[in-house]
Amino acid sequence: MQFGVVLQNDPPAWRVVDLAKRAETYGFTHAWTFDSHLLWQEPYVVFSQILANTHRLTVGTMVTNPATRDWTVTASLFATLNDMFGNRTVCGIGRGDSAVRVINGAPVTLKTLRDSIGVIRSLANGEEIDYKGNKLRFPWSHGSQLPVWVAAYGPKALALTGEVGDGFILQLADPTIAEWSIAAVRKAAADAGRDPQSVKICVAAPAYVTDGSEAGLAHAREQCRWFGGMVGNHVADLVARYGNEGAAIPKALSDYIAGRESYDYNSHGKAGNDHTSFVPDEIVDRFCLVGPPEEHIRRLRELEELGVDQFALYLQHDAKDATLASYGNSVMPLVNPAGRAKS
């Protein structure tokens, strides 16, 4: 299993770069950042410095969207980074959340998402495309290779991911939901004539390593409770579309938002915000990885058995350095012991 770290582009940007550098020394393979241009600083500027200050780390968006940037601009950004630093980028993309909602926009349709994936990947890979009636190609790009990983929750988005995505990003670590989601992506890939195993699976969720005490666990839960609120935004959209009865979405995903009333994007992705009180401890424990190192190892092995290729841990809490160190020293070596095959 590979490991990634998900960072927010909060100033100072050099702190983000430093965390990425530390992650690489501990054996992490990927550094992801949010892409929400009003809430945080510009990810691609930060990516250039992460790549310049590391050796093998791959950087990516978790996640960008087709609405706030022209698709050819997104392709150019990734192709430029690949030209400068080798093929060390991945485009994580979804329909859009905070980046579009804070400007009173809305997530794009799945058709728009599908079309954008084709344009971004083809252009970034040096291919000629038809875009708005013109045939386009980057004349300066040679050898760039950009995988596109799709973030999805609902049945139709999961199907799209299996049909066209190079990877699948699931932003929660609940094993029941992961199993259902991965199966849906694999089935869609097979139905489209693709090798289901060719779609990389990335589970992303907050991780907080504790000392095993009840007080430590309670603190970790409070630091990670924001994540249930973030996921709740997407679940609310699914419930509005599919309802909360029947088999379209699992009850393990939909039931917990019953007490959800509102969401303030000014506190998006921040520990300690006051609009996630509807998220119970059970959801924090299911969606996140909290507890002593042995609990993280157990959960990670469970996810690996389900077919997860990468676990990307969110560091939006008060123990960033300690979590990286715990994973590097106590968790990752036991998940991927010497001599054991890695994804």
Side-chain angles (χ1 to χ4, degrees), residues 193-222:
R194 306 178 66 198
D195 176 5
Q197 301 303 314
S198 69
V199 183
K200 295 295 184 182
I201 307 296
C202 174
V203 162
Y208 199 114
V209 181
T210 74
D211 58 6
S213 68
E214 286 300 318
L217 179 60
H219 179 75
R221 285 170 172 158
E222 288 307 313

Side-chain angles (χ1 to χ4, degrees), residues 151-223:
Y153 288 108
K156 293 181 180 179
L158 293 171
L160 180 151
T161 303
E163 290 163 5
V164 303
D166 299 301
F168 165 47
I169 297 172
L170 175 63
Q171 290 169 298
L172 55 81
D174 179 88
T176 300
I177 298 169
E179 183 175 23
W180 173 78
S181 303
I182 293 168
V185 170
R186 299 282 197 220
K187 181 181 184 303
D191 290 346
R194 306 178 66 198
D195 176 5
Q197 301 303 314
S198 69
V199 183
K200 295 295 184 182
I201 307 296
C202 174
V203 162
Y208 199 114
V209 181
T210 74
D211 58 6
S213 68
E214 286 300 318
L217 179 60
H219 179 75
R221 285 170 172 158
E222 288 307 313
Q223 287 291 303

Side-chain angles (χ1 to χ4, degrees), residues 261-279:
E261 295 179 354
S262 63
Y263 190 82
D264 181 2
Y265 275 93
N266 291 313
S267 300
H268 187 61
K270 295 181 179 179
N273 62 52
D274 59 3
H275 55 275
T276 57
S277 58
F278 73 94
V279 180

Side-chain angles (χ1 to χ4, degrees), residues 73-106:
V73 172
T74 299
S76 180
L77 288 164
F78 280 110
T80 300
L81 291 173
N82 283 343
D83 185 67
M84 292 177 68
F85 300 105
N87 291 314
R88 295 168 57 196
T89 67
V90 56
C91 176
I93 193 168
R95 295 176 56 224
D97 185 32
S98 63
V100 296
R101 295 187 193 272
V102 295
I103 54 174
N104 290 326

